[in-house]
Amino acid sequence: MNVLLPLLGALLLWGTLVGLDVVTFPQSMISRPIIAGTCAGLIIGLLSPGTSVQEAVPGGMLIGATLELFALDVLPFGAARYPDYGPATVAAVYAAFGWPRLEVGLGVGVMVGLLTAVLGGWSMQIVRRANAAAIQRRSAALSAGQADAIRALQWGGVRRDIARSAGVTACGLAIGLLVWPLLPPGSENAVWLTVVAVGAGISAAISGAIRNAGRTRRLAWVFGGLVIGALTVVLR
């Protein structure tokens, strides 16, 4: 437990920061799954005695890249509800490294990550409603142009997003802890979980690319890229 607490604390801090990056601060793309996952792997490699940095960093990058396939179609703007893949990826990496074989842990991690991402999407809606209520309560002060009211709203929004990001990350880490004993015996050999996770990610990425391309010339580039990518894999 003494070894586990620093690891969970560091992952919680990192997950909170990448959760803030989506909307609040610093908006530097660290919330992208491939970055969040790589850094989460580094943390695990540094703080987990049974895992080396050389093993954990590529593993975290692989899990992040898989979740990136799902996140490519997400456009975080406006009032739309969208999954929060930043904290979810941190939880996914932690869940994946609880398994003796990464080729199985990848599937379990992605499953935990997708569930946590959905929870993150719901949490954003809650924070937006709380921000809107705070604005309504200070509407008179805002109309009068009071600077204190503006600062209070800004810092209040930051505090709510910190609490949201930390809560989503904590929930994801808890799911990662709980999922191990809940899976049936023999799951440590269930490579099919990873096959399903990667296949679903590829399907989501292709579907999103085709939908975003529409019927313009970009659609030809999408299919051209798919053909070249497939040939590269086959002829390698």
Side-chain angles (χ1 to χ4, degrees):
M1 182 62 70
N2 292 335
V3 175
L4 184 62
L5 286 177
L7 173 61
L8 290 176
L11 290 174
L12 179 62
L13 287 174
W14 175 238
T16 302
L17 181 59
V18 299
L20 285 172
D21 180 72
V22 177
V23 175
T24 303
F25 176 84
Q27 292 191 334
S28 58
M29 302 297 285
I30 60 173
S31 57
R32 297 308 306 180
I34 194 166
I35 299 175
T38 302
C39 292
L42 177 62
I43 293 171
I44 290 174
L46 291 173
L47 298 180
S48 179
T51 308
S52 67
V53 172
Q54 291 78 9
E55 174 190 4
V57 171
M61 183 183 296
L62 180 61
I63 296 163
T66 304
L67 285 170
E68 191 75 58
L69 295 173
F70 293 93
L72 287 173
D73 195 33
V74 174
L75 298 176
F77 62 85
R81 178 184 293 175
Y82 46 83
D84 187 359
Y85 283 104
T89 303
V90 176
V93 174
Y94 174 68
F97 277 95
W99 293 79
R101 300 167 59 199
L102 184 59
E103 58 267 31
V104 178
L106 174 61
V108 177
V110 170
M111 178 178 65
V112 170
L114 291 176
L115 177 58
T116 307
V118 173
L119 293 176
W122 289 340
S123 71
M124 287 185 181
Q125 295 293 98
I126 295 173
V127 169
R128 286 171 182 167
R129 293 192 188 101
N131 288 339
I135 292 172
Q136 298 236 340
R137 288 194 301 269
R138 293 178 171 85
S139 58
L142 291 174
S143 299
Q146 295 181 12
D148 289 344
I150 296 173
R151 280 195 293 270
L153 283 173
Q154 288 177 330
W155 285 112
V158 171
R159 287 192 295 270
R160 281 186 283 272
D161 203 21
I162 289 173
R164 181 200 71 80
S165 302
V168 172
T169 305
C171 286
L173 294 174
I175 293 171
L177 278 171
L178 294 174
V179 75
W180 303 334
L182 292 179
L183 290 173
S187 296
E188 65 273 9
N189 298 316
V191 182
W192 61 268
L193 286 171
T194 296
V195 175
V196 171
V198 174
I202 293 173
S203 299
I206 293 174
S207 170
I210 293 174
R211 183 168 57 253
N212 290 331
R215 297 184 179 180
T216 64
R217 187 177 296 178
R218 289 184 298 176
L219 187 60
W221 286 103
V222 170
F223 282 110
L226 291 174
V227 171
I228 294 172
L231 289 175
T232 303
V233 172
V234 171
L235 299 177
R236 183 176 179 180

